[in-house]
Amino acid sequence: MDNKATKELCLALARAESEKKISEIIEKHPVLGKPENWRPYGNVPNNLGTVTGQSPQSVPSLIEKITNSIDAMLIKECRLKGEDPEAPTAPRSMEEAVTKYFDLNDAFYMDLPEPKRRELASNIQILAEHDKKAPNLAIYDNGEGQYPQDFPNTLVSLNRNNKRKIFFVQGKYNMGGTAVLPFCGENKYQLIISKKNLPSSVDSPFGFTLVRRNRGIGENVKMSWYEYCVNSDGSIFEFSSQPIDL
């Protein structure tokens, strides 16, 4: 797929108003419509238990996404200071990191003027759209972002050591981001869009993938699994673009 077609696919998925529309896009698309262009989430074919065994409730699962956004913001600020998040000299707690990178603590935050609070809050947003009873939820953050071809080791990975040596973030087990999937409609769709967000990577491309639950219909298996889509060459979809309005 060329750059234009890849970007158009990303925007079509992002602007789809319903799960049915997403399914229609998949069925008609020359890449998404082929089973061989989907990979097991976390490179673990038997991943259903990991994904579904985290939380029986939707709200705590959604909070996991916000937690990841907070982690991404702190890691970004750490890198902007020219520091290695895994170095022994990096902050050893979230409180220390917030003080060091944002010059904040609980008391000082309460004294911030309203415009400054809103400016800080705008770095992480939850947006709801379309059907009020079953809305599409979008979680946005202004964190470090990821290069497209790093997705398999970061945004769609499981049980890796990505944050094991970073003491000032909350993430530990590399699976909390999947906790929302059981609550994502019938087909468990989740669209992930990211771009590396550091001054040194200003020209880096956007990357995206779509996650779904594969119920194994027509296959000789007794359980379903979660998977994400890739381009026909096995790579994460990517396209170059100026900032896009979603």
Side-chain angles (χ1 to χ4, degrees):
M1 291 175 59
D2 61 24
N3 195 77
K4 180 180 178 181
T6 304
K7 180 178 179 179
E8 288 176 349
L9 173 60
C10 179
L11 294 177
L13 292 170
R15 292 169 177 164
E17 296 184 358
S18 66
E19 192 173 21
K20 180 181 178 181
K21 181 61 178 178
I22 293 286
S23 296
E24 291 174 354
I25 293 172
I26 293 173
E27 291 170 4
K28 297 177 181 178
H29 197 270
V31 176
L32 300 189
K34 295 180 179 180
E36 61 265 29
N37 295 325
W38 294 79
R39 301 284 185 270
Y41 198 112
N43 198 32
V44 181
N46 188 15
N47 55 31
L48 185 66
T50 300
V51 174
T52 60
Q54 295 183 60
S55 175
Q57 298 180 323
S58 59
V59 173
S61 298
L62 180 62
I63 290 172
E64 291 281 359
K65 287 292 189 183
I66 308 306
T67 297
N68 285 340
S69 292
I70 294 171
D71 287 353
M73 285 295 302
L74 292 174
I75 293 173
K76 173 191 172 184
E77 293 302 316
C78 178
R79 296 192 189 281
L80 288 176
K81 296 290 186 182
E83 301 174 0
D84 179 357
E86 296 186 358
T89 54
R92 309 304 280 179
S93 69
M94 179 173 288
E95 291 76 13
E96 184 182 344
V98 169
T99 300
K100 182 174 184 178
Y101 300 135
F102 291 92
D103 194 26
L104 283 177
N105 54 44
D106 288 344
F108 186 39
Y109 178 79
M110 296 303 295
D111 291 335
L112 284 178
E114 184 67 18
K116 185 62 177 177
R117 279 204 220 175
R118 289 186 175 275
E119 179 184 340
L120 283 171
S122 68
N123 286 303
I124 300 174
Q125 301 179 39
I126 303 178
L127 310 173
E129 60 181 3
H130 305 307
D131 189 341
K132 290 185 178 181
K133 293 183 178 180
N136 294 338
L137 294 180
I139 296 97
Y140 159 84
D141 69 63
N142 191 30
E144 64 167 340
Q146 298 294 332
Y147 292 113
Q149 301 317 316
D150 286 343
F151 278 28
N153 297 320
T154 55
L155 297 175
V156 289
S157 64
L158 282 173
N159 302 319
R160 297 180 68 89
N161 293 326
N162 295 341
K163 298 179 182 178
R164 183 167 172 262
K165 297 181 179 180
I166 305 178
F167 285 79
F168 58 84
V169 298
Q170 297 184 67
K172 296 179 182 179
Y173 305 113
N174 188 216
M175 61 183 185
T178 64
V180 297
L181 290 174
F183 306 100
C184 292
E186 177 65 25
N187 295 304
K188 319 306 180 187
Y189 291 135
Q190 177 182 246
L191 178 65
I192 301 173
I193 306 173
S194 190
K195 180 182 186 295
K196 198 65 175 178
N197 187 28
L198 294 172
S200 59
S201 58
V202 64
D203 294 324
S204 68
F206 286 89
F208 72 93
T209 188
L210 179 70
V211 179
R212 70 178 181 185
R213 182 171 176 173
N214 189 325
R215 300 183 185 279
I217 297 175
E219 299 191 33
N220 187 31
V221 294
K222 64 178 182 180
M223 68 174 62
S224 57
W225 64 94
Y226 285 86
E227 59 187 9
Y228 65 94
C229 64
V230 294
N231 211 334
S232 55
D233 61 0
S235 64
I236 295 295
F237 290 98
E238 65 174 68
F239 61 92
S240 58
S241 176
Q242 295 297 313
I244 53 178
D245 181 10
L246 295 177

